[in-house]
Amino acid sequence: ISSLINPQNVTADVWDNGVLGTDYPYFVSPVVYKSWFNPQVVQYYDQYESYNLTRAVMYLEKIPGITHVNGQWYYNGKPLQLTFLYGTGSAPQERLASLLSTEAKMINLTITPQPVSFGTLITLATTPPYDDFNMTTFGWISLGPLVPSWMEGIYTTPANVGGFSNSTIDTVLTDAA
């Protein structure tokens, strides 16, 4: 997916032209985490992970069961249609879902965005049988303004994933909002 999405479009469309943040991998920046910066990582990122539609096609074609015939995508002989699940109530996640669908069309790939509740995301991600290619985002890939929304879903009731809910977390989240 990283080869499919143009980071400049994420910054412009998802993050309100950079007002809410920028889409730039921290590990290739000599400014962020200076002590861990390695120029070889930048070369690796540029070669294998940066925005490149030709490489996105090549990576998708390497997945077992995927075929690409006359510009059409198939999985085990049937048309490939992907679903991108994202949390409801988040404008940035909604914009990311729309952008992902639009960018996928550039390689004739169908990705259907589907908003679902956080509880549904957790259930779908942790309960077998898993769908082969459905993609899910919980919002913690990009912290930005989403931090309170995803933390509340994880660390407070009703989800309380891992039993982390407590009065200190609740107070911190309330103060952060």
Side-chain angles (χ1 to χ4, degrees):
I1 293 298
S2 64
S3 295
L4 181 63
I5 300 177
N6 184 336
Q8 292 174 343
N9 292 344
V10 174
T11 297
D13 299 342
V14 177
W15 297 125
D16 290 333
N17 290 316
V19 171
L20 299 176
T22 58
D23 183 31
Y24 186 78
Y26 68 89
F27 52 86
V28 299
S29 170
V31 177
V32 182
Y33 301 115
K34 290 180 199 177
S35 58
W36 292 291
F37 177 72
N38 182 338
Q40 292 175 330
V41 172
V42 176
Q43 290 174 323
Y44 181 90
Y45 172 79
D46 289 341
Q47 185 174 355
Y48 297 107
E49 296 180 7
S50 62
Y51 174 67
N52 181 314
L53 294 177
T54 302
R55 186 175 53 237
V57 168
M58 181 186 74
Y59 284 168
L60 192 55
E61 289 174 333
K62 289 183 176 187
I63 297 172
I66 294 286
T67 53
H68 190 213
V69 180
N70 296 326
Q72 299 299 310
W73 293 98
Y74 298 91
Y75 177 61
N76 291 334
K78 297 178 182 175
L80 174 63
Q81 295 186 351
L82 303 175
T83 302
F84 180 73
L85 304 174
Y86 66 96
T88 57
S90 169
Q93 285 189 27
E94 185 177 320
R95 292 190 300 261
L96 175 63
S98 176
L99 177 66
L100 178 60
S101 179
T102 299
E103 302 242 342
K105 288 176 186 173
M106 295 172 71
I107 62 169
N108 209 30
L109 180 64
T110 301
I111 298 178
T112 304
Q114 181 179 343
V116 296
S117 69
F118 187 82
T120 300
L121 286 174
I122 292 290
T123 300
L124 292 173
T126 60
T127 307
Y130 306 107
D131 293 327
D132 291 335
F133 286 102
N134 283 357
M135 295 172 283
T136 304
T137 181
F138 294 99
W140 55 64
I141 293 168
S142 211
L143 297 179
L146 304 177
V147 173
S149 65
W150 69 256
M151 287 187 72
E152 286 169 2
I154 296 173
Y155 296 115
T156 61
T157 57
N160 189 17
V161 176
F164 289 107
S165 181
N166 62 57
S167 61
T168 303
I169 292 288
D170 293 342
T171 301
V172 169
L173 290 172
T174 300
D175 292 346

